[in-house]
Amino acid sequence: MLSRTADHLFWMSRYTDRAENTARMLDVHVQTGLLPQSVEDAEKGWRAILGISELQQAFDKKYKLLTQKDVIDFMVRDPGNASSIASCLKQARENARAVRGALTTEAWEIQNATWIKMQGYLQTDALEQNPSEFFEWVKHRSHLSRGVTIGTMLKDEAFHFIRLGTFLERADNTARTIDVKFHGAKEGQAYTKNGQQQTQSKEQQHAEERKDAIAEPQVDFYYWAAILRSVSGFEIYRKVYRDVITPARVADLLILRPDMPRSLLACMEQVVGNLKHVRNDISSDTERFAGKLHADLKFSNLDEILDAGLHDYLTRFFERVFELGNRISRDFLVPLNT
């Protein structure tokens, strides 16, 4: 396959999944915003959304104050935000258009129709009137895109580059979601069991992370439930653990469970598997790099991760996933600024 074609397919799927991930995060925070909470807690939640996507500075440059309306507008329709839902769906459609010959008619039509309908949405007040309905629509279109891809495309290199982009993007997003909850939005701070923040040393941070993970925070139930719902994990958690929601079990489910579709381990299993199907003469080092990352997850346990420090572990994971993306670009794709 031509590297340019592979590049378009890879980024088409990454942008589609990124739009869905953003919709998931925003929808959860809109829903939790209906619960009784202080102004400070509400603002902290919306800042966490920006922190997950590394958009806090960009938002602050454009807005003097932080409000739910402005965050949603910035994350959904702002053309200056390359990670907004509108920008992602536009880029997904443009990448699909560039390689229509590598897609089935159904797969192309989903991408094209999604962008057209998105433009219609943004020209009305539907987002302001019922944001949750809009976010459900974005998630549904992403599900539809994946389903059509699996159901209509030949399982050739084109298919595997699409899947590779999907799971690499998903792994990155899941890790960021976990990190923001457990560590907080600011480096050098950690949450104590009563939810207050304090400046701590690395050793103290690791100790507090472990305490938070072991505790059973009844008061924080709705927030942990929201985290699970943001990755479609609430019902899965109930089926697996059949007990109260605790941070340790949430972390275990989202990091180490191979049967949880959005866990880090499950995503990396898919990345490794799809890399094998597209391997070439220069990709052995990249496969080895991905295999080591997968093995670290597969043969780790939560106690080891907490002892090392969850934030530090996830930070290393981000760095390695970023490096893996660069290696895939080097070995297979046309390098592009994204």
Side-chain angles (χ1 to χ4, degrees):
M1 173 176 286
L2 292 175
S3 61
R4 185 171 296 278
T5 300
D7 183 87
H8 285 302
L9 294 169
F10 178 82
W11 282 104
M12 177 194 76
S13 61
R14 288 202 71 163
Y15 281 122
T16 300
D17 209 70
R18 191 174 299 177
E20 179 189 350
N21 292 331
T22 300
R24 286 175 174 276
M25 291 187 296
L26 291 171
D27 189 30
V28 165
H29 278 71
V30 167
Q31 296 296 329
T32 55
L34 301 176
L35 298 171
Q37 59 183 318
S38 68
V39 174
E40 292 77 12
D41 286 342
E43 180 174 331
K44 186 173 68 176
W46 288 109
R47 287 198 180 277
I49 286 281
L50 296 168
I52 289 173
S53 304
E54 298 184 350
L55 292 170
Q56 182 68 66
Q57 290 184 350
F59 179 87
D60 289 341
K61 286 181 180 179
K62 185 166 184 177
Y63 299 94
K64 293 182 179 180
L65 299 175
L66 186 148
T67 66
Q68 173 177 314
K69 179 181 181 302
D70 287 340
V71 174
I72 291 177
D73 191 72
F74 181 71
M75 295 295 291
V76 171
R77 66 172 88 232
D78 194 330
N81 175 11
S83 294
S84 70
I85 292 175
S87 294
C88 286
L89 293 181
K90 179 181 180 182
Q91 288 299 320
R93 188 257 188 187
E94 289 304 306
N95 278 284
R97 184 174 62 85
V99 288
R100 287 183 61 177
L103 300 171
T104 59
T105 299
E106 294 91 339
W108 155 248
E109 288 180 347
I110 290 297
Q111 294 291 343
N112 192 45
T114 298
W115 170 239
I116 292 173
K117 291 179 181 179
M118 162 67 75
Q119 290 179 300
Y121 253 119
L122 299 184
Q123 291 171 1
T124 69
D125 63 350
L127 178 61
E128 289 74 18
Q129 293 297 320
N130 194 341
S132 289
E133 182 178 288
F134 170 78
F135 297 139
E136 283 297 326
W137 176 83
V138 174
K139 289 187 284 184
H140 173 74
R141 299 302 295 187
S142 180
H143 296 327
L144 191 58
S145 176
R146 280 195 301 276
V148 167
T149 297
I150 294 171
T152 69
M153 287 192 64
L154 182 69
K155 304 304 185 290
D156 59 1
E157 286 188 333
F159 174 85
H160 292 296
F161 276 115
I162 292 172
R163 301 293 281 170
L164 187 58
T166 294
F167 289 105
L168 198 63
E169 182 68 30
R170 187 176 295 179
D172 180 82
N173 181 265
T174 298
R176 291 180 186 279
T177 300
I178 300 167
D179 188 44
V180 166
K181 173 54 188 172
F182 276 87
H183 183 72
K186 295 182 180 178
E187 202 166 335
Q189 294 180 326
Y191 287 98
T192 62
K193 282 190 286 187
N194 62 7
Q196 295 177 339
Q197 290 180 325
Q198 58 186 26
T199 302
Q200 299 175 315
S201 67
K202 289 286 186 182
E203 291 76 12
Q204 289 172 320
Q205 288 178 34
H206 296 174
E208 288 299 338
E209 284 174 353
R210 172 173 280 283
K211 288 178 182 178
D212 286 348
I214 294 172
E216 295 187 3
Q218 301 292 341
V219 175
D220 215 18
F221 168 83
Y222 291 107
Y223 194 87
W224 288 110
I227 292 295
L228 289 169
R229 287 193 174 96
S230 73
V231 292
S232 295
F234 185 77
E235 289 83 4
I236 293 174
Y237 184 99
R238 289 302 195 195
K239 181 176 290 187
V240 171
Y241 298 106
R242 301 178 183 275
D243 204 345
V244 296
I245 299 176
T246 68
R249 291 169 180 163
V250 172
D252 186 63
L253 183 72
L254 300 186
I255 296 174
L256 300 176
R257 290 282 306 198
D259 50 357
M260 165 61 188
R262 290 181 173 269
S263 74
L264 302 188
L265 178 55
C267 290
M268 286 310 304
E269 284 184 348
Q270 290 291 332
V271 168
V272 169
N274 283 284
L275 270 175
K276 290 180 181 178
H277 288 286
V278 298
R279 62 166 50 126
N280 58 32
D281 294 337
I282 62 172
S283 65
S284 58
D285 284 344
T286 297
E287 287 188 71
R288 190 177 301 111
F289 186 87
K292 287 181 179 179
L293 181 52
H294 171 244
D296 283 349
L297 289 163
K298 185 174 182 179
F299 297 107
S300 290
N301 62 59
L302 190 63
D303 286 337
E304 293 173 345
I305 293 172
L306 293 176
D307 286 341
L310 183 59
H311 174 65
D312 291 342
Y313 180 87
L314 292 171
T315 297
R316 289 194 298 273
F317 184 85
F318 300 148
E319 293 170 350
R320 295 168 75 184
V321 165
F322 182 76
E323 173 62 20
L324 178 56
N326 287 338
R327 287 169 177 258
I328 291 172
S329 180
R330 179 197 67 196
D331 292 349
F332 301 104
L333 314 177
V334 177
L336 292 175
N337 293 325
T338 55

